């Protein structure tokens, strides 16, 4: 029964991610989003908000923080308001809106919209790809050059997923 539930949730998550924002699909593709989601919570669509450490409120299947959501431009679900109390939680606890948030966050860093001297090639391999997005997602776009992220459980889960995805392509 647990396997069937997980399969259903994974299928639902994949469907939602496929339907997500088309403007950034080429930059942050569906496979990348799926692995970021998998690494964050095993893509648990019913994950809610938690505060694992003070001042670090993380929500939804992607474990998105309020500052991350703000840096993404405060995406919202249809007919909501960016300024409404609770708009953040509603968006990032919705798989479609959360995926849109992740894509917009990555675009803002890659396209230099965050100001300052931000290098989106987080692993310094000369290519901006999903591995860089994993660094950004885990530790933020401003500090993504920190090589210690590769030792985190998040990154290990991400790489397991990414290896499977890239070998299947």
């Amino acid at each position: 029964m647990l396997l069937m539930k997980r399969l259903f949730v994974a299928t639902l998550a994949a469907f939602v991610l496929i339907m997500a924002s088309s403007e950034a699909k080429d930059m942050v593709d569906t496979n990348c989003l799926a692995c970021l989601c998998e690494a964050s919570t095993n893509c648990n669509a019913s994950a809610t908000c938690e505060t694992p450490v003070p001042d670090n409120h993380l929500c939804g299947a992607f474990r998105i923080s309020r500052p991350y959501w703000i840096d993404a431009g405060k995406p919202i679900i249809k007919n909501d308001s960016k300024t409404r109390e609770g708009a953040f939680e509603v968006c990032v606890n919705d798989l479609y809106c959360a995926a849109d948030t992740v894509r917009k966050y990555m675009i803002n860093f890659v396209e230099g919209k965050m100001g300052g001297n931000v290098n989106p090639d987080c692993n310094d391999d000369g290519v901006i790809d999903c591995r860089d997005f994993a660094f950004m997602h885990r530790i933020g776009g401003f500090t993504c050059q920190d090589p210690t992220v590769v030792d985190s459980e998040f990154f290990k889960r991400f790489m397991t997923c990414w290896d499977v995805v890239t070998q299947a392509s």
Side-chain angles (χ1 to χ4, degrees), residues 36-138:
L36 293 174
C37 189
E38 182 69 22
S40 298
T41 62
N42 293 320
C43 216
N44 180 355
S46 54
T48 57
C49 297
E50 64 179 32
T51 306
V53 293
D55 299 324
N56 194 12
H57 193 62
L58 303 173
C59 297
F62 286 94
R63 286 293 177 242
I64 296 172
S65 69
R66 183 178 300 274
Y68 185 116
W69 177 73
I70 292 168
D71 287 346
K74 298 182 179 180
I76 53 172
I77 62 169
K78 188 175 181 178
N79 299 320
D80 202 349
S81 167
K82 293 179 183 207
T83 58
R84 185 185 65 77
E85 183 70 30
F88 156 70
E89 289 85 354
V90 169
C91 173
V92 299
N93 283 311
D94 173 88
L95 274 175
Y96 177 86
C97 195
D100 191 42
T101 300
V102 172
R103 279 194 166 123
K104 288 178 177 178
Y105 182 86
M106 301 308 167
I107 286 170
N108 285 345
F109 278 95
V110 171
E111 293 183 352
K113 295 177 182 175
M114 301 310 294
N117 188 16
V118 177
N119 177 8
D121 182 13
C122 302
N123 59 1
D124 260 344
D125 66 353
V127 178
I128 299 169
D129 61 13
C130 192
R131 286 182 193 87
D132 298 303
F133 299 146
F135 275 70
M136 284 185 217
H137 187 70
R138 178 66 180 156

Side-chain angles (χ1 to χ4, degrees), residues 26-41:
D26 292 339
M27 188 177 299
V28 186
D29 70 19
T30 303
N31 289 333
C32 182
L33 278 175
C35 286
L36 293 174
C37 189
E38 182 69 22
S40 298
T41 62

